[in-house]
Amino acid sequence: MRASQPPLQDPEAFSQLYARSQLIIFRYIFGMYGGPIEEVEDLTCDVYMRAWKARGGFAGDDHDSLCWLFTIAHHLVIDAHRRRLVHPDDAGLNLDDAAGEWLFLSADATPEEQATSREQFKHLWRVLHNLPVDKREVVVLRYMLGWKVKEIAQYLHKEENTVSVYIRRCLEQIRENWTLE
Amino acid sequence: MQNNPDESLPDDVKIEQLLSAFKPKPMKRLNARMISAPWQMQNRTRPSYETKNWLLRWKSAWVLAAFILVLAFLILVFIPSIRVAADQIIHFFLPAASNRLDVQITPANQLDSMDFSNPSNYPLNINDVQQQAGFVVKGILSLPEGLSFVGARYDHSYNAVTLLYQASDYFLILTQRPLGNSQDVFSIGPNAHVEFVNIGGVQGEYVVGGWNAVSTQQPTGLETPPGTVHLNAVWDDSLPQFTLRWHLAGYAYELRSTGINSPSQSQLITWANELK
């Protein structure tokens, strides 16, 4: 992680934090919440607006500021999930064809292979969002955000081995649930 | 929920690959919304680091420029040789403060100050005036037919020598003085039109017009000192006076012709180039 940043009280420092983290936060929310993209963008905005209002109570370095944003995003996603449970609408989980464009598939893959991968991903997306929130978060951090096990362990305040085992169990559960969906 | 569209169950590696390959990006709408975010708005009202840096450089440049100006001024004031050189390079007419000139003439210098066109005010020849002035006096080398040398005079107050030439319908007055603390013999009005000309490789100035006396208060015997004359004059561009002025080799020269049929500007420049 990088060295400490200037206090977030300064708009310029906050602006830099936004520029540095907005894509990561967006992907985190997308992975955790599932979509649709408009709601993910709304949640992303809410994260930064809350952080802006609460910045006076924040103290920490670059890594801490990112973790702080993840915590805010996590709570917002939980709240949004609760609202979704009250008003069920799984439209967000049915990724449209545009989702295929976000998949960086191998250029060597044939059109058939690419189509198969897209369909597999759509199914995987539904399976992923039936995982408990804590498991989903680990998968999102590890694969969608590309964090190392060490970084996830630091963020979750757990041992690296524990995180590794947890990730392995998440993948097993995904495979187990694959045919159930 | 839909049924599994793919019959084959992916292994862990495939699942990892699919998840790792998913890199969604926000649409432009998000950035458009964030433009009006409070931290962005406040940032816009504050100078950025680049702006601050630019302001600092700008201030430094002004301070440096001011320092150079002060230094140049001090050099010009305290180093006479540079002052003379600068005076030769940047020679210009020093205009009077006003288009109206109030002159007080005392009996002692009445003749000295007045009427440069009166031949009786030029009693000296070249050798005599050189002796009085203490510097080499130059004159027009070859006089055209009809133009003759009348005489010379030396004015202590200006440290200047003036030569008078006369033709049938105009006068030609040549003044010369060492550069230094002396003042110009002929001043010009602040609104006079100055034309820059080349004289012997240096820049000179050419001005048309002169001071026109509008009132003269004759002595009544009650003035202090007695006999003082008050003269009021205004600058008049239409007066048939044509003045060429330049600085060369530490001397200031003025060549003025008066009269409706005065020589042309080019003729004055030719004579100025041929001074010997």
Side-chain angles (χ1 to χ4, degrees):
Chain A
M1 294 293 167
R2 279 175 278 182
S4 61
Q5 287 289 302
L8 295 179
Q9 198 66 27
D10 180 13
E12 194 173 327
F14 196 92
S15 182
Q16 288 175 5
L17 172 66
Y18 170 74
R20 192 173 63 243
S21 62
Q22 60 106 0
L23 184 59
I24 302 170
I25 295 298
F26 170 82
R27 284 180 179 165
Y28 173 81
I29 294 172
F30 207 144
M32 292 293 287
Y33 188 66
I37 190 168
E38 289 80 6
E39 289 182 26
V40 174
E41 289 179 341
D42 289 344
L43 287 170
T44 306
C45 287
D46 291 345
V47 168
Y48 288 97
M49 293 307 292
R50 283 199 184 187
W52 172 255
K53 287 176 183 170
R55 72 192 187 284
F58 172 79
D61 59 11
D62 190 10
H63 174 254
D64 294 334
S65 62
L66 199 57
C67 291
W68 179 54
L69 291 176
F70 275 117
T71 305
I72 297 172
H74 183 91
H75 291 143
L76 282 173
V77 168
I78 299 294
D79 291 344
H81 264 302
R82 285 176 184 152
R83 287 195 299 272
R84 185 178 272 176
L85 288 173
V86 176
H87 306 286
D89 174 17
D90 65 350
L93 298 180
N94 291 320
L95 291 176
D96 57 19
D97 289 339
E101 295 176 10
W102 296 331
L103 281 171
F104 290 85
L105 300 173
S106 169
D108 297 334
T110 64
E112 290 77 15
E113 288 172 335
Q114 289 187 6
T116 303
S117 292
R118 284 196 189 95
E119 291 306 313
Q120 279 185 325
F121 181 78
K122 286 181 181 179
H123 188 69
L124 172 61
W125 196 245
R126 285 190 291 275
V127 174
L128 177 68
H129 286 89
N130 280 331
L131 288 179
V133 171
D134 55 343
K135 287 187 176 176
R136 196 188 319 153
E137 184 176 35
V138 171
V139 172
V140 168
L141 292 174
R142 177 69 186 92
Y143 298 109
M144 283 185 61
L145 300 187
W147 282 21
K148 294 174 182 171
V149 172
K150 182 182 177 182
E151 291 171 327
I152 299 171
Q154 204 173 349
Y155 170 63
L156 297 175
H157 305 289
K158 291 181 178 174
E159 294 294 324
E160 286 185 44
N161 286 340
T162 308
V163 172
S164 293
V165 171
Y166 202 60
I167 292 171
R168 192 56 49 197
R169 286 180 183 167
C170 290
L171 292 176
E172 284 173 6
Q173 189 167 352
I174 288 174
R175 294 183 76 245
E176 286 170 10
N177 294 349
W178 190 269
T179 52
L180 299 178
E181 286 293 323
Chain B
M1 295 288 176
Q2 293 177 351
N3 291 327
N4 183 4
D6 185 26
E7 292 177 356
S8 63
L9 177 66
D11 57 14
D12 286 354
V13 175
K14 181 65 178 174
I15 291 171
E16 287 176 344
Q17 281 178 350
L18 286 171
L19 287 171
S20 301
F22 187 57
K23 302 292 181 191
K25 288 181 181 175
M27 300 169 80
K28 290 179 181 175
R29 195 176 68 105
L30 177 63
N31 287 331
R33 284 179 63 182
M34 284 306 193
I35 284 174
S36 57
W39 58 90
Q40 304 281 25
M41 300 302 286
Q42 290 188 29
N43 251 349
R44 239 166 264 146
T45 59
R46 298 174 50 180
S48 65
Y49 172 76
E50 288 77 12
T51 310
K52 286 177 191 168
N53 204 19
W54 182 84
L55 283 173
L56 192 65
R57 285 184 197 168
W58 187 247
K59 284 180 183 174
S60 303
W62 274 108
V63 169
L64 186 65
F67 174 75
I68 290 171
L69 276 175
V70 169
L71 191 67
F73 176 76
L74 291 175
I75 288 172
L76 282 173
V77 168
F78 292 108
I79 304 178
S81 59
I82 292 181
R83 187 174 64 226
V84 170
D87 206 19
Q88 288 184 25
I89 295 167
I90 315 167
H91 51 94
F92 51 84
F93 286 105
L94 291 175
S98 165
N99 274 329
R100 188 174 189 89
L101 195 64
D102 296 320
V103 182
Q104 183 176 288
I105 303 160
T106 60
N109 69 357
Q110 223 176 68
L111 289 179
D112 289 346
S113 302
M114 292 287 290
D115 205 354
F116 279 86
S117 301
N118 187 347
S120 61
N121 288 333
Y122 295 83
L124 304 175
N125 60 34
I126 296 288
N127 289 332
D128 293 340
V129 84
Q130 270 190 167
Q131 281 188 343
Q132 283 197 20
F135 57 84
V136 177
V137 174
K138 291 182 179 179
I140 298 174
L141 189 60
S142 56
L143 294 173
E145 193 177 344
L147 182 66
S148 58
F149 174 68
V150 174
R153 59 184 276 181
Y154 175 70
D155 295 286
H156 288 280
S157 55
Y158 297 112
N159 189 25
V161 168
T162 305
L163 309 182
L164 178 67
Y165 299 87
Q166 186 176 13
S168 59
D169 46 7
Y170 67 88
F171 287 102
L172 198 61
I173 302 161
L174 172 65
T175 71
Q176 49 202 293
R177 62 178 175 82
L179 288 170
N181 295 327
S182 315
Q183 63 178 16
D184 296 326
V185 177
F186 301 120
S187 64
I188 64 168
N191 296 335
H193 174 70
V194 177
E195 183 182 347
F196 294 101
V197 293
N198 188 318
I199 300 169
V202 299
Q203 186 175 298
E205 294 166 353
Y206 179 74
V207 171
V208 178
W211 294 104
N212 192 6
V214 291
S215 70
T216 306
Q217 186 185 341
Q218 294 301 326
T220 60
L222 300 174
E223 301 83 9
T224 306
T228 298
V229 174
H230 290 277
L231 174 67
N232 293 320
V234 293
W235 179 259
D236 187 353
D237 283 331
S238 64
L239 273 186
Q241 292 188 7
F242 309 89
T243 305
L244 197 62
R245 187 136 101 178
W246 71 102
H247 292 177
L248 185 64
Y251 287 85
Y253 297 90
E254 290 168 296
L255 183 60
R256 168 174 288 190
S257 68
T258 61
I260 297 172
N261 294 319
S262 287
S264 64
Q265 182 197 89
S266 58
Q267 180 60 66
L268 289 176
I269 292 173
T270 302
W271 283 331
N273 281 323
E274 292 176 351
L275 291 184
K276 201 83 174 184

